[in-house]
Amino acid sequence: MGARIAVGLVKAGVIALAALAHELPAEPAAAQQRDFLFGKPHVTVGARLGLAAPTAGSEVFDFTTEELTVKRGDFAAIDFEVELGVRLRDRLDLALNIGHSESNTRSEFRNWVGADDLPIEQTTRFALTPVTLGAKAYLKDRGRAVSRFAWVPDRWSPYAAAGGGLIVYKFSQHGEFVDYDTRDVFQATFTSEGVAPTLYGGAGIELSLGRSLLATGEVRYLWSRAGMSRDFVDFDAIDLSSRQLVLGLAVRF
């Protein structure tokens, strides 16, 4: 349910950003020209909210979706991010990003029931916290100097982004399970967690809402895999990759 709400919010935000970009004039109007900064901004700080959709392409996800009443889409979750950008050149920023998404899915075995004819139930949790450092390359100038001291922001600034870092992850399943040899039902918690390297690539846009305020939107893809713990000894490396779509606000100064 939370993922569906996030999808709706993201879609509404994308439509709003597109409408805002269409309505803004091609060149700054007189009123907009008065809304200037005293020099180029050097730092941008922002927060974004959206959707993270893990690709869930490894054996542990195959087992979970085949044996339990879980769909791959259930691993999608609301994604929250904060980002710090530092201007290196007119069209290049260094960006530090920290995000977090977490899904909790209740389920039961598809083809098994307990001796009491009740469902065999469990909860699967999948949490991702990527910490990345990368570059944002802007495809056009983000503003122009109108005097020695004044700088007027442009209405919109598209960019491409790439970088890498670390991702903190946790995959856990808690509840009732079946011993396929004895057909006994038992209580257990299986957990695999750790830190793994990650790479990402993406694209986004920034829309000026005033002198210092920006509306932001970004699509991003993260690549990562990690070995699983002894609780999942017979499974291959867990797929930590995900697609992200986020919208937010930022302040530049």
PDB file of all heavy atoms in Angstrom, residues 44-76:
ATOM      1  N   THR A  44      24.488  23.365  -2.356  1.00  0.00           N
ATOM      2  CA  THR A  44      23.067  23.040  -2.440  1.00  0.00           C
ATOM      3  C   THR A  44      22.761  21.929  -1.439  1.00  0.00           C
ATOM      4  O   THR A  44      23.478  20.929  -1.380  1.00  0.00           O
ATOM      5  CB  THR A  44      22.683  22.574  -3.853  1.00  0.00           C
ATOM      6  OG1 THR A  44      23.027  23.595  -4.805  1.00  0.00           O
ATOM      7  CG2 THR A  44      21.181  22.303  -3.946  1.00  0.00           C
ATOM      8  N   VAL A  45      21.697  22.110  -0.663  1.00  0.00           N
ATOM      9  CA  VAL A  45      21.268  21.119   0.320  1.00  0.00           C
ATOM     10  C   VAL A  45      19.801  20.804   0.054  1.00  0.00           C
ATOM     11  O   VAL A  45      18.975  21.718  -0.061  1.00  0.00           O
ATOM     12  CB  VAL A  45      21.441  21.620   1.761  1.00  0.00           C
ATOM     13  CG1 VAL A  45      20.952  20.566   2.759  1.00  0.00           C
ATOM     14  CG2 VAL A  45      22.898  21.976   2.033  1.00  0.00           C
ATOM     15  N   GLY A  46      19.476  19.519  -0.068  1.00  0.00           N
ATOM     16  CA  GLY A  46      18.102  19.173  -0.389  1.00  0.00           C
ATOM     17  C   GLY A  46      17.640  17.873   0.231  1.00  0.00           C
ATOM     18  O   GLY A  46      18.436  17.068   0.730  1.00  0.00           O
ATOM     19  N   ALA A  47      16.331  17.655   0.189  1.00  0.00           N
ATOM     20  CA  ALA A  47      15.702  16.417   0.642  1.00  0.00           C
ATOM     21  C   ALA A  47      14.701  15.978  -0.412  1.00  0.00           C
ATOM     22  O   ALA A  47      14.034  16.812  -1.036  1.00  0.00           O
ATOM     23  CB  ALA A  47      15.010  16.626   1.984  1.00  0.00           C
ATOM     24  N   ARG A  48      14.595  14.650  -0.611  1.00  0.00           N
ATOM     25  CA  ARG A  48      13.718  14.121  -1.658  1.00  0.00           C
ATOM     26  C   ARG A  48      12.978  12.894  -1.159  1.00  0.00           C
ATOM     27  O   ARG A  48      13.473  12.156  -0.304  1.00  0.00           O
ATOM     28  CB  ARG A  48      14.537  13.760  -2.909  1.00  0.00           C
ATOM     29  CG  ARG A  48      15.317  14.923  -3.475  1.00  0.00           C
ATOM     30  CD  ARG A  48      16.026  14.585  -4.769  1.00  0.00           C
ATOM     31  NE  ARG A  48      17.045  13.576  -4.618  1.00  0.00           N
ATOM     32  CZ  ARG A  48      18.196  13.593  -5.313  1.00  0.00           C
ATOM     33  NH1 ARG A  48      18.430  14.570  -6.178  1.00  0.00           N
ATOM     34  NH2 ARG A  48      19.078  12.636  -5.152  1.00  0.00           N
ATOM     35  N   LEU A  49      11.800  12.689  -1.728  1.00  0.00           N
ATOM     36  CA  LEU A  49      10.951  11.558  -1.358  1.00  0.00           C
ATOM     37  C   LEU A  49      10.418  10.919  -2.631  1.00  0.00           C
ATOM     38  O   LEU A  49      10.077  11.623  -3.585  1.00  0.00           O
ATOM     39  CB  LEU A  49       9.790  12.036  -0.489  1.00  0.00           C
ATOM     40  CG  LEU A  49       8.880  10.966   0.120  1.00  0.00           C
ATOM     41  CD1 LEU A  49       9.633  10.176   1.187  1.00  0.00           C
ATOM     42  CD2 LEU A  49       7.634  11.618   0.729  1.00  0.00           C
ATOM     43  N   GLY A  50      10.354   9.595  -2.647  1.00  0.00           N
ATOM     44  CA  GLY A  50       9.858   8.932  -3.848  1.00  0.00           C
ATOM     45  C   GLY A  50       9.740   7.440  -3.656  1.00  0.00           C
ATOM     46  O   GLY A  50       9.351   6.958  -2.574  1.00  0.00           O
ATOM     47  N   LEU A  51      10.109   6.701  -4.696  1.00  0.00           N
ATOM     48  CA  LEU A  51       9.931   5.259  -4.702  1.00  0.00           C
ATOM     49  C   LEU A  51      11.226   4.561  -5.066  1.00  0.00           C
ATOM     50  O   LEU A  51      11.919   4.966  -6.004  1.00  0.00           O
ATOM     51  CB  LEU A  51       8.856   4.873  -5.722  1.00  0.00           C
ATOM     52  CG  LEU A  51       8.579   3.377  -5.892  1.00  0.00           C
ATOM     53  CD1 LEU A  51       7.870   2.830  -4.655  1.00  0.00           C
ATOM     54  CD2 LEU A  51       7.737   3.126  -7.135  1.00  0.00           C
ATOM     55  N   ALA A  52      11.577   3.511  -4.317  1.00  0.00           N
ATOM     56  CA  ALA A  52      12.687   2.622  -4.640  1.00  0.00           C
ATOM     57  C   ALA A  52      12.109   1.259  -4.981  1.00  0.00           C
ATOM     58  O   ALA A  52      11.348   0.683  -4.193  1.00  0.00           O
ATOM     59  CB  ALA A  52      13.669   2.511  -3.470  1.00  0.00           C
ATOM     60  N   ALA A  53      12.456   0.745  -6.171  1.00  0.00           N
ATOM     61  CA  ALA A  53      11.935  -0.542  -6.626  1.00  0.00           C
ATOM     62  C   ALA A  53      13.090  -1.500  -6.845  1.00  0.00           C
ATOM     63  O   ALA A  53      13.740  -1.477  -7.901  1.00  0.00           O
ATOM     64  CB  ALA A  53      11.130  -0.362  -7.907  1.00  0.00           C
ATOM     65  N   PRO A  54      13.419  -2.352  -5.881  1.00  0.00           N
ATOM     66  CA  PRO A  54      14.508  -3.325  -6.052  1.00  0.00           C
ATOM     67  C   PRO A  54      14.235  -4.265  -7.216  1.00  0.00           C
ATOM     68  O   PRO A  54      13.095  -4.661  -7.458  1.00  0.00           O
ATOM     69  CB  PRO A  54      14.521  -4.076  -4.713  1.00  0.00           C
ATOM     70  CG  PRO A  54      13.890  -3.130  -3.731  1.00  0.00           C
ATOM     71  CD  PRO A  54      12.853  -2.391  -4.516  1.00  0.00           C
ATOM     72  N   THR A  55      15.303  -4.629  -7.942  1.00  0.00           N
ATOM     73  CA  THR A  55      15.136  -5.565  -9.050  1.00  0.00           C
ATOM     74  C   THR A  55      14.898  -6.984  -8.547  1.00  0.00           C
ATOM     75  O   THR A  55      14.292  -7.793  -9.243  1.00  0.00           O
ATOM     76  CB  THR A  55      16.362  -5.534  -9.966  1.00  0.00           C
ATOM     77  OG1 THR A  55      17.543  -5.799  -9.185  1.00  0.00           O
ATOM     78  CG2 THR A  55      16.511  -4.175 -10.629  1.00  0.00           C
ATOM     79  N   ALA A  56      15.361  -7.302  -7.336  1.00  0.00           N
ATOM     80  CA  ALA A  56      15.052  -8.592  -6.676  1.00  0.00           C
ATOM     81  C   ALA A  56      15.315  -9.767  -7.605  1.00  0.00           C
ATOM     82  O   ALA A  56      14.450 -10.610  -7.824  1.00  0.00           O
ATOM     83  CB  ALA A  56      13.601  -8.588  -6.190  1.00  0.00           C
ATOM     84  N   GLY A  57      16.552  -9.829  -8.147  1.00  0.00           N
ATOM     85  CA  GLY A  57      16.843 -10.814  -9.174  1.00  0.00           C
ATOM     86  C   GLY A  57      17.691 -11.995  -8.751  1.00  0.00           C
ATOM     87  O   GLY A  57      18.291 -12.627  -9.612  1.00  0.00           O
ATOM     88  N   SER A  58      17.761 -12.292  -7.472  1.00  0.00           N
ATOM     89  CA  SER A  58      18.610 -13.403  -7.025  1.00  0.00           C
ATOM     90  C   SER A  58      17.770 -14.529  -6.415  1.00  0.00           C
ATOM     91  O   SER A  58      16.552 -14.420  -6.272  1.00  0.00           O
ATOM     92  CB  SER A  58      19.651 -12.901  -6.025  1.00  0.00           C
ATOM     93  OG  SER A  58      19.036 -12.177  -4.977  1.00  0.00           O
ATOM     94  N   GLU A  59      18.448 -15.615  -6.023  1.00  0.00           N
ATOM     95  CA  GLU A  59      17.752 -16.833  -5.612  1.00  0.00           C
ATOM     96  C   GLU A  59      16.871 -16.643  -4.376  1.00  0.00           C
ATOM     97  O   GLU A  59      15.797 -17.248  -4.279  1.00  0.00           O
ATOM     98  CB  GLU A  59      18.764 -17.947  -5.349  1.00  0.00           C
ATOM     99  CG  GLU A  59      19.427 -18.489  -6.604  1.00  0.00           C
ATOM    100  CD  GLU A  59      20.424 -19.581  -6.306  1.00  0.00           C
ATOM    101  OE1 GLU A  59      20.686 -19.835  -5.112  1.00  0.00           O
ATOM    102  OE2 GLU A  59      20.948 -20.192  -7.260  1.00  0.00           O
ATOM    103  N   VAL A  60      17.302 -15.828  -3.434  1.00  0.00           N
ATOM    104  CA  VAL A  60      16.504 -15.665  -2.222  1.00  0.00           C
ATOM    105  C   VAL A  60      15.163 -15.014  -2.544  1.00  0.00           C
ATOM    106  O   VAL A  60      14.136 -15.334  -1.930  1.00  0.00           O
ATOM    107  CB  VAL A  60      17.279 -14.848  -1.155  1.00  0.00           C
ATOM    108  CG1 VAL A  60      17.439 -13.383  -1.564  1.00  0.00           C
ATOM    109  CG2 VAL A  60      16.589 -14.961   0.207  1.00  0.00           C
ATOM    110  N   PHE A  61      15.139 -14.137  -3.534  1.00  0.00           N
ATOM    111  CA  PHE A  61      13.872 -13.536  -3.954  1.00  0.00           C
ATOM    112  C   PHE A  61      13.044 -14.536  -4.760  1.00  0.00           C
ATOM    113  O   PHE A  61      11.811 -14.536  -4.673  1.00  0.00           O
ATOM    114  CB  PHE A  61      14.131 -12.265  -4.758  1.00  0.00           C
ATOM    115  CG  PHE A  61      14.784 -11.171  -3.967  1.00  0.00           C
ATOM    116  CD1 PHE A  61      16.116 -10.847  -4.176  1.00  0.00           C
ATOM    117  CD2 PHE A  61      14.078 -10.477  -3.004  1.00  0.00           C
ATOM    118  CE1 PHE A  61      16.725  -9.840  -3.449  1.00  0.00           C
ATOM    119  CE2 PHE A  61      14.671  -9.469  -2.265  1.00  0.00           C
ATOM    120  CZ  PHE A  61      16.003  -9.153  -2.483  1.00  0.00           C
ATOM    121  N   ASP A  62      13.712 -15.389  -5.544  1.00  0.00           N
ATOM    122  CA  ASP A  62      12.993 -16.441  -6.267  1.00  0.00           C
ATOM    123  C   ASP A  62      12.281 -17.361  -5.284  1.00  0.00           C
ATOM    124  O   ASP A  62      11.097 -17.693  -5.468  1.00  0.00           O
ATOM    125  CB  ASP A  62      13.953 -17.256  -7.133  1.00  0.00           C
ATOM    126  CG  ASP A  62      14.546 -16.456  -8.278  1.00  0.00           C
ATOM    127  OD1 ASP A  62      13.960 -15.411  -8.633  1.00  0.00           O
ATOM    128  OD2 ASP A  62      15.595 -16.883  -8.809  1.00  0.00           O
ATOM    129  N   PHE A  63      13.004 -17.790  -4.245  1.00  0.00           N
ATOM    130  CA  PHE A  63      12.409 -18.662  -3.235  1.00  0.00           C
ATOM    131  C   PHE A  63      11.232 -17.968  -2.558  1.00  0.00           C
ATOM    132  O   PHE A  63      10.156 -18.570  -2.369  1.00  0.00           O
ATOM    133  CB  PHE A  63      13.450 -19.048  -2.187  1.00  0.00           C
ATOM    134  CG  PHE A  63      12.863 -19.730  -0.979  1.00  0.00           C
ATOM    135  CD1 PHE A  63      12.605 -21.090  -0.986  1.00  0.00           C
ATOM    136  CD2 PHE A  63      12.554 -18.993   0.161  1.00  0.00           C
ATOM    137  CE1 PHE A  63      12.047 -21.711   0.130  1.00  0.00           C
ATOM    138  CE2 PHE A  63      11.988 -19.608   1.273  1.00  0.00           C
ATOM    139  CZ  PHE A  63      11.740 -20.965   1.252  1.00  0.00           C
ATOM    140  N   THR A  64      11.427 -16.716  -2.178  1.00  0.00           N
ATOM    141  CA  THR A  64      10.388 -15.989  -1.444  1.00  0.00           C
ATOM    142  C   THR A  64       9.119 -15.819  -2.262  1.00  0.00           C
ATOM    143  O   THR A  64       8.004 -15.998  -1.753  1.00  0.00           O
ATOM    144  CB  THR A  64      10.923 -14.617  -1.008  1.00  0.00           C
ATOM    145  OG1 THR A  64      12.076 -14.806  -0.161  1.00  0.00           O
ATOM    146  CG2 THR A  64       9.877 -13.827  -0.243  1.00  0.00           C
ATOM    147  N   THR A  65       9.269 -15.493  -3.546  1.00  0.00           N
ATOM    148  CA  THR A  65       8.077 -15.268  -4.373  1.00  0.00           C
ATOM    149  C   THR A  65       7.425 -16.562  -4.837  1.00  0.00           C
ATOM    150  O   THR A  65       6.224 -16.586  -5.122  1.00  0.00           O
ATOM    151  CB  THR A  65       8.435 -14.408  -5.599  1.00  0.00           C
ATOM    152  OG1 THR A  65       9.502 -15.029  -6.337  1.00  0.00           O
ATOM    153  CG2 THR A  65       8.871 -13.016  -5.168  1.00  0.00           C
ATOM    154  N   GLU A  66       8.201 -17.646  -4.903  1.00  0.00           N
ATOM    155  CA  GLU A  66       7.631 -18.925  -5.328  1.00  0.00           C
ATOM    156  C   GLU A  66       6.975 -19.685  -4.182  1.00  0.00           C
ATOM    157  O   GLU A  66       5.905 -20.285  -4.352  1.00  0.00           O
ATOM    158  CB  GLU A  66       8.721 -19.790  -5.969  1.00  0.00           C
ATOM    159  CG  GLU A  66       9.219 -19.263  -7.305  1.00  0.00           C
ATOM    160  CD  GLU A  66      10.462 -19.978  -7.780  1.00  0.00           C
ATOM    161  OE1 GLU A  66      10.879 -20.949  -7.102  1.00  0.00           O
ATOM    162  OE2 GLU A  66      11.032 -19.570  -8.815  1.00  0.00           O
ATOM    163  N   GLU A  67       7.601 -19.667  -3.007  1.00  0.00           N
ATOM    164  CA  GLU A  67       7.085 -20.449  -1.879  1.00  0.00           C
ATOM    165  C   GLU A  67       6.115 -19.662  -1.002  1.00  0.00           C
ATOM    166  O   GLU A  67       5.221 -20.254  -0.388  1.00  0.00           O
ATOM    167  CB  GLU A  67       8.253 -20.947  -1.023  1.00  0.00           C
ATOM    168  CG  GLU A  67       9.200 -21.890  -1.757  1.00  0.00           C
ATOM    169  CD  GLU A  67       8.533 -23.196  -2.149  1.00  0.00           C
ATOM    170  OE1 GLU A  67       7.686 -23.675  -1.369  1.00  0.00           O
ATOM    171  OE2 GLU A  67       8.832 -23.727  -3.240  1.00  0.00           O
ATOM    172  N   LEU A  68       6.277 -18.354  -0.931  1.00  0.00           N
ATOM    173  CA  LEU A  68       5.443 -17.520  -0.070  1.00  0.00           C
ATOM    174  C   LEU A  68       4.535 -16.630  -0.921  1.00  0.00           C
ATOM    175  O   LEU A  68       4.779 -16.417  -2.110  1.00  0.00           O
ATOM    176  CB  LEU A  68       6.318 -16.645   0.838  1.00  0.00           C
ATOM    177  CG  LEU A  68       7.424 -17.357   1.613  1.00  0.00           C
ATOM    178  CD1 LEU A  68       8.206 -16.358   2.460  1.00  0.00           C
ATOM    179  CD2 LEU A  68       6.853 -18.483   2.477  1.00  0.00           C
ATOM    180  N   THR A  69       3.507 -16.101  -0.298  1.00  0.00           N
ATOM    181  CA  THR A  69       2.569 -15.222  -0.999  1.00  0.00           C
ATOM    182  C   THR A  69       3.137 -13.807  -1.079  1.00  0.00           C
ATOM    183  O   THR A  69       2.564 -12.843  -0.565  1.00  0.00           O
ATOM    184  CB  THR A  69       1.209 -15.214  -0.293  1.00  0.00           C
ATOM    185  OG1 THR A  69       1.408 -14.852   1.089  1.00  0.00           O
ATOM    186  CG2 THR A  69       0.546 -16.574  -0.381  1.00  0.00           C
ATOM    187  N   VAL A  70       4.276 -13.683  -1.745  1.00  0.00           N
ATOM    188  CA  VAL A  70       4.973 -12.406  -1.923  1.00  0.00           C
ATOM    189  C   VAL A  70       5.213 -12.198  -3.415  1.00  0.00           C
ATOM    190  O   VAL A  70       5.611 -13.137  -4.117  1.00  0.00           O
ATOM    191  CB  VAL A  70       6.323 -12.391  -1.161  1.00  0.00           C
ATOM    192  CG1 VAL A  70       7.045 -11.071  -1.381  1.00  0.00           C
ATOM    193  CG2 VAL A  70       6.095 -12.631   0.329  1.00  0.00           C
ATOM    194  N   LYS A  71       4.979 -10.976  -3.888  1.00  0.00           N
ATOM    195  CA  LYS A  71       5.292 -10.606  -5.265  1.00  0.00           C
ATOM    196  C   LYS A  71       6.550  -9.743  -5.258  1.00  0.00           C
ATOM    197  O   LYS A  71       6.860  -9.075  -4.250  1.00  0.00           O
ATOM    198  CB  LYS A  71       4.131  -9.858  -5.906  1.00  0.00           C
ATOM    199  CG  LYS A  71       2.813 -10.631  -5.916  1.00  0.00           C
ATOM    200  CD  LYS A  71       1.759  -9.870  -6.673  1.00  0.00           C
ATOM    201  CE  LYS A  71       1.400  -8.587  -5.968  1.00  0.00           C
ATOM    202  NZ  LYS A  71       0.291  -8.637  -5.095  1.00  0.00           N
ATOM    203  N   ARG A  72       7.256  -9.720  -6.381  1.00  0.00           N
ATOM    204  CA  ARG A  72       8.472  -8.891  -6.437  1.00  0.00           C
ATOM    205  C   ARG A  72       8.145  -7.423  -6.196  1.00  0.00           C
ATOM    206  O   ARG A  72       8.946  -6.686  -5.621  1.00  0.00           O
ATOM    207  CB  ARG A  72       9.182  -9.087  -7.781  1.00  0.00           C
ATOM    208  CG  ARG A  72       9.768 -10.481  -7.960  1.00  0.00           C
ATOM    209  CD  ARG A  72      10.645 -10.599  -9.185  1.00  0.00           C
ATOM    210  NE  ARG A  72      10.932 -12.004  -9.451  1.00  0.00           N
ATOM    211  CZ  ARG A  72      11.903 -12.702  -8.873  1.00  0.00           C
ATOM    212  NH1 ARG A  72      12.689 -12.116  -7.991  1.00  0.00           N
ATOM    213  NH2 ARG A  72      12.075 -13.984  -9.165  1.00  0.00           N
ATOM    214  N   GLY A  73       6.990  -6.998  -6.646  1.00  0.00           N
ATOM    215  CA  GLY A  73       6.610  -5.611  -6.417  1.00  0.00           C
ATOM    216  C   GLY A  73       6.427  -5.254  -4.958  1.00  0.00           C
ATOM    217  O   GLY A  73       6.444  -4.072  -4.595  1.00  0.00           O
ATOM    218  N   ASP A  74       6.249  -6.265  -4.089  1.00  0.00           N
ATOM    219  CA  ASP A  74       6.095  -5.997  -2.655  1.00  0.00           C
ATOM    220  C   ASP A  74       7.377  -5.459  -2.027  1.00  0.00           C
ATOM    221  O   ASP A  74       7.329  -4.899  -0.919  1.00  0.00           O
ATOM    222  CB  ASP A  74       5.670  -7.268  -1.921  1.00  0.00           C
ATOM    223  CG  ASP A  74       4.261  -7.715  -2.289  1.00  0.00           C
ATOM    224  OD1 ASP A  74       3.444  -6.845  -2.639  1.00  0.00           O
ATOM    225  OD2 ASP A  74       3.999  -8.934  -2.250  1.00  0.00           O
ATOM    226  N   PHE A  75       8.516  -5.639  -2.706  1.00  0.00           N
ATOM    227  CA  PHE A  75       9.774  -5.128  -2.153  1.00  0.00           C
ATOM    228  C   PHE A  75       9.970  -3.643  -2.440  1.00  0.00           C
ATOM    229  O   PHE A  75      10.897  -3.025  -1.920  1.00  0.00           O
ATOM    230  CB  PHE A  75      10.960  -5.930  -2.704  1.00  0.00           C
ATOM    231  CG  PHE A  75      10.948  -7.377  -2.295  1.00  0.00           C
ATOM    232  CD1 PHE A  75      10.693  -8.376  -3.219  1.00  0.00           C
ATOM    233  CD2 PHE A  75      11.163  -7.733  -0.978  1.00  0.00           C
ATOM    234  CE1 PHE A  75      10.665  -9.710  -2.847  1.00  0.00           C
ATOM    235  CE2 PHE A  75      11.136  -9.059  -0.585  1.00  0.00           C
ATOM    236  CZ  PHE A  75      10.884 -10.055  -1.529  1.00  0.00           C
ATOM    237  N   ALA A  76       9.116  -3.057  -3.291  1.00  0.00           N
ATOM    238  CA  ALA A  76       9.179  -1.614  -3.520  1.00  0.00           C
ATOM    239  C   ALA A  76       8.794  -0.881  -2.245  1.00  0.00           C
ATOM    240  O   ALA A  76       7.947  -1.338  -1.469  1.00  0.00           O
ATOM    241  CB  ALA A  76       8.250  -1.226  -4.664  1.00  0.00           C
TER     242      ALA A  76
END
